[in-house]
């Protein structure tokens, strides 16, 4: 499916690498601090993180100056595609500008991001480490994929998020953004809903249909969403005996789809 520009709040930069980095930083920057804490501790696996009563946090893009933090732990984080190419390594030192910074209390992260199969340069990672000031305990380099970050936020326990809050909105939008960037082959319902954002009456009808069908015992939701989502209805026929064995005959499964009708040609094909 073609990626759509302006689908979510995060579609700002024209360059994909800058855009995906800014989207992650904006999600964390404007959400409840607990989201950043969970991201650092559970998504990145950084156990040293402390969530103290006095919270010190900072976010930045394109970090060009040496950091002045002189305590805590420093990590360089590489984010790339799930299917990683071999890392490159050059021996030439050069001016280094990490794509982003995340600081929460005693943890400072410098982020280098790559997309579309571009390789992470390990010399660049070493150069990033030199931006930490004296006193910071530099920890081993960590790498994670955009797909793993998407999965983390998709399956996040949301019990700390208030219904209708900015954090809920930004998180929902980020998940849709990741799906639009093809960080997942499977889409969520929210991704389909977004195509109807400017058609509230149509969206309301779709949600009512979805609510009705999902509450029927004999309806099974089609989990693998790509460019639509739908439902399977199974009807059982009466048992019959063959060679003293009982066989249950299942009537052909009917599948009903709700989809966003990107173009007329696709619509006629589905009909």
């Amino acid at each position: 499916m073609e990626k759509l520009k302006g689908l979510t709040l995060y579609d700002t930069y024209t360059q994909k690498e800058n855009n995906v980095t800014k989207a992650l930083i904006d999600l964390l920057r404007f959400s409840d601090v607990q989201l950043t804490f969970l991201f650092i501790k559970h998504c990145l696996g950084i156990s040293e993180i402390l969530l103290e009563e006095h919270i010190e946090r900072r976010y930045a893009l394109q970090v060009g100056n040496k950091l002045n933090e002189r305590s805590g732990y420093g990590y360089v984080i590489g984010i790339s595609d799930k299917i990683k190419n071999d890392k490159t390594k050059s021996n030439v030192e050069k001016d280094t500008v990490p794509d982003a910074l995340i600081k929460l209390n005693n943890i400072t992260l410098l982020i280098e991001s790559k997309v579309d199969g571009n390789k992470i340069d390990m010399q660049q990672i070493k150069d990033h480490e030199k931006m930490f000031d004296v006193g910071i305990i530099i920890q081993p380099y960590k790498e994670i994929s955009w797909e793993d970050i998407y999965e983390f936020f998709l399956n996040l326990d949301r019990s700390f998020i208030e219904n209708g809050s900015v954090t809920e909105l930004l998180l929902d939008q980020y998940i849709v953004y990741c799906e639009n960037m093809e960080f997942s082959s499977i889409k969520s319902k929210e991704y389909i809903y977004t195509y109807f954002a400017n058609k509230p009456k149509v969206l309301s009808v779709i949600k009512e249909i979805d609510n009705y069908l999902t509450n029927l015992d004999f309806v099974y939701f089609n989990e693998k969403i790509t460019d639509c989502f739908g439902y399977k209805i199974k009807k059982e026929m009466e048992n019959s005996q063959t060679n003293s064995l009982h066989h249950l005959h299942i009537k052909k499964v009917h599948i009903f789809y709700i989809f966003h009708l990107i173009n007329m040609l696709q619509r006629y094909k589905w009909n």
Side-chain angles (χ1 to χ4, degrees):
M1 182 186 298
E2 180 182 358
K3 294 188 287 294
L4 297 185
K5 188 67 177 173
L7 184 67
T8 72
L9 295 170
Y10 298 105
D11 294 297
T12 52
Y13 289 170
T14 55
Q15 186 177 345
K16 183 177 178 181
E17 186 171 293
N18 290 338
N19 200 58
V20 296
T21 307
K22 186 178 188 299
L24 176 62
I25 295 301
D26 283 350
L27 168 65
L28 300 174
R29 186 203 310 262
F30 298 112
S31 294
D32 188 295
V33 66
Q34 183 73 9
L35 193 64
T36 301
F37 174 78
L38 294 173
F39 173 73
I40 292 174
K41 184 171 184 178
H42 297 297
C43 185
L44 299 180
I46 298 175
S47 59
E48 299 95 343
I49 181 71
L50 300 175
L51 190 57
E52 302 167 341
E53 185 175 346
H54 174 70
I55 295 174
E56 180 184 0
R57 68 168 170 168
R58 184 160 65 94
Y59 308 87
L61 295 167
Q62 298 298 307
V63 185
N65 298 320
K66 191 176 180 69
L67 306 180
N68 55 15
E69 285 84 3
R70 297 188 174 182
S71 63
Y73 299 89
Y75 285 86
V76 177
I77 307 294
I79 309 177
S80 60
D81 298 321
K82 188 77 171 181
I83 302 175
K84 301 180 178 65
N85 292 311
D86 293 335
K87 303 177 185 65
T88 63
K89 184 175 182 179
S90 63
N91 297 319
V92 180
E93 294 187 20
K94 53 187 177 181
D95 293 337
T96 180
V97 180
D99 293 310
L101 174 145
I102 300 173
K103 175 175 172 55
L104 179 58
N105 294 340
N106 63 325
I107 299 295
T108 303
L109 309 177
L110 290 176
I111 295 175
E112 179 62 30
S113 65
K114 301 292 182 184
V115 293
D116 296 333
N118 290 323
K119 302 176 183 180
I120 291 178
D121 187 336
M122 294 310 295
Q123 181 60 49
Q124 191 176 26
I125 297 302
K126 290 184 177 181
D127 292 339
H128 287 351
E129 290 179 349
K130 295 175 183 177
M131 297 190 69
F132 291 116
D133 207 341
V134 177
I136 285 278
I137 303 173
I138 301 176
Q139 298 293 81
Y141 164 72
K142 282 180 173 284
E143 188 170 347
I144 192 171
S145 71
W146 291 110
E147 291 84 351
D148 287 339
I149 290 174
Y150 162 78
E151 287 290 337
F152 170 76
F153 286 121
L154 180 68
N155 299 312
L156 181 70
D157 180 359
R158 295 192 177 201
S159 58
F160 72 96
I161 299 177
E162 184 179 347
N163 289 336
S165 66
V166 171
T167 299
E168 181 182 56
L169 170 65
L170 292 177
L171 186 54
D172 286 343
Q173 285 277 290
Y174 185 76
I175 289 171
V176 171
Y177 170 79
C178 286
E179 293 171 354
N180 193 40
M181 290 294 103
E182 299 181 350
F183 294 151
S184 171
S185 59
I186 304 300
K187 314 298 184 185
S188 63
K189 286 184 182 180
E190 286 70 24
Y191 176 79
I192 305 300
Y193 288 159
T194 305
Y195 283 88
F196 298 97
N198 61 344
K199 299 179 180 179
K201 291 184 179 180
V202 176
L203 180 58
S204 177
V205 171
I206 291 173
K207 288 186 175 181
E208 285 183 20
I209 294 172
D210 174 49
N211 183 64
Y212 172 75
L213 291 176
T214 52
N215 282 286
L216 296 176
D217 294 337
F218 55 88
V219 172
Y220 302 85
F221 182 69
N222 183 32
E223 296 289 347
K224 293 185 178 181
I225 302 172
T226 53
D227 59 355
C228 63
F229 63 84
Y231 311 85
K232 297 178 181 179
I233 299 178
K234 292 184 179 180
K235 293 184 178 180
E236 297 179 357
M237 300 175 64
E238 62 184 37
N239 290 343
S240 62
Q241 285 189 340
T242 304
N243 296 329
S244 301
L245 295 176
H246 290 277
H247 294 271
L248 184 64
H249 294 275
I250 304 296
K251 191 175 181 180
K252 183 179 179 182
V253 173
H254 299 280
I255 304 177
F256 298 86
Y257 289 104
I258 295 175
F259 51 102
H260 46 75
L261 302 180
I262 293 294
N263 56 59
M264 295 297 292
L265 181 62
Q266 186 180 39
R267 176 179 135 180
Y268 290 134
K269 182 179 178 180
W270 276 89
N271 285 340

